[in-house]
Amino acid sequence: MNKGILVTAAGTGINLMLGVLYSWSVIKKALVAQGWSNTQAALPYTIACAVFAIIMVFAGRLQDQIGPRKVATVGGILIGSGMILGGLITSLPGLIISFGILAGTGIGLGYAAATPAAVKWFDPEKKGLITGIVVSGFGLASVYISPLTTWFLNHFGLERTFIYLGMIFLVITVILAQLLTDPPADYRATGATGKTSKISVDFTWQEMLKTSRFYLLWLMFAFSASAGLMVIGHITTIAKDQANWEKGFWLVALLAIFNASGRILAGLVSDRIGRVNTMLLVFLAGGVNMLLFGTYHTIGSMAIGTAIAGLAYGALLSLFPSATADYYGTKNLGVNYGLVFTAWGIGGVFGPLLAGKVVDLTGSYLLAYKISAVLLGGAVVLALLLKIPRYVLAKA
């Protein structure tokens, strides 16, 4: 098997494990049923998102230096241990430490290692597609994690659910991590014609921070991620409140399918029509969907809205790493994208907490939808200021 394909498959598999983050919608519902407020139940998930984003910076730099295998291995150990500890201490402080900090750190380490390792094996013109395939695993995870978590909760209770999930994720992630390797220093990917690909400019993180494009990318990512993460973290509760549907966990699986599809589709499309054009389409579709989300009161309309939200959100996780590689090269992609990814952490804090606080104060999500639509509108404006450059030769 081609080495690049093997690394891509391993990275996708690791992300399938790391997608445990998206099972929180099901876990949150169980916590609320035990008497937790919506804000309390959203807090461990919110902290996990923030820690995930912060760790990505350090993990990205670390994997650039020591390689993806070691970083992903430690990530697998931490996420598994964090989940197991969560089953032993299910208080709010306990879940903040176990799920929010330990598992969040593990997710950041694993995620930072998977994509750069795969992208480095392929032609620059395939960056979007390869990135989309690898990160699709993270989005697709809820297809199996949500029903599996629900089954564990129904048969074993909350504590054992955490423990069993932790054992599964620890073992599989550590095994797959051993397959992650960077190409040799003199490796050059070739396209279908057999010609050596061009090399994009390789910026250090210090050089990247001196460019205005970094800040445009960062703000666009923060604005657009908040809407998707809000829906992901609350969809089962939204389904119950707006459509009076108790089986909203199926929407988590539906969202995951379109989340994963959006990553691959956006990567493929953006390789052809450009990152900015694809971003504009994604932001516009997401914004209109948020404006309409409060009108979804049937299972059918809720499913359509969830699918669009999944597509729009999933596209972000393909577009922004690809755009970062376009602008700043692949040599330091781990740390460079880690810095861009901190914007996702802001969205992960703002979106779910905003929704939890709004519903606690007003009894509905309507205001949260409107704020999310405004943020996506802001991302449209910022995208119009951004132009992705063509590939150029590396600096002399």
Side-chain angles (χ1 to χ4, degrees), residues 234-283:
H234 290 264
I235 190 60
T236 55
T237 307
I238 291 172
K240 181 179 178 180
D241 289 349
Q242 290 186 202
N244 195 28
W245 194 31
E246 293 289 345
K247 296 183 178 180
F249 63 86
W250 288 112
L251 289 179
V252 178
L254 179 68
L255 190 149
I257 292 172
F258 282 89
N259 183 346
S261 300
R263 299 174 191 224
I264 298 174
L265 182 62
L268 184 62
V269 171
S270 68
D271 281 339
R272 304 201 173 187
I273 70 171
R275 314 293 180 215
V276 173
N277 290 334
T278 310
M279 286 177 181
L280 285 169
L281 292 174
V282 167
F283 298 155

Side-chain angles (χ1 to χ4, degrees), residues 19 28 45 68 80 83 142 219 223 225 247 266 273 277 308 330 369 389:
K28 173 181 173 291
Y45 168 81
M83 292 294 291
S142 288
L219 288 171
F223 289 173
K247 296 183 178 180
I273 70 171
N277 290 334
I308 295 172
T330 59
Y369 298 149

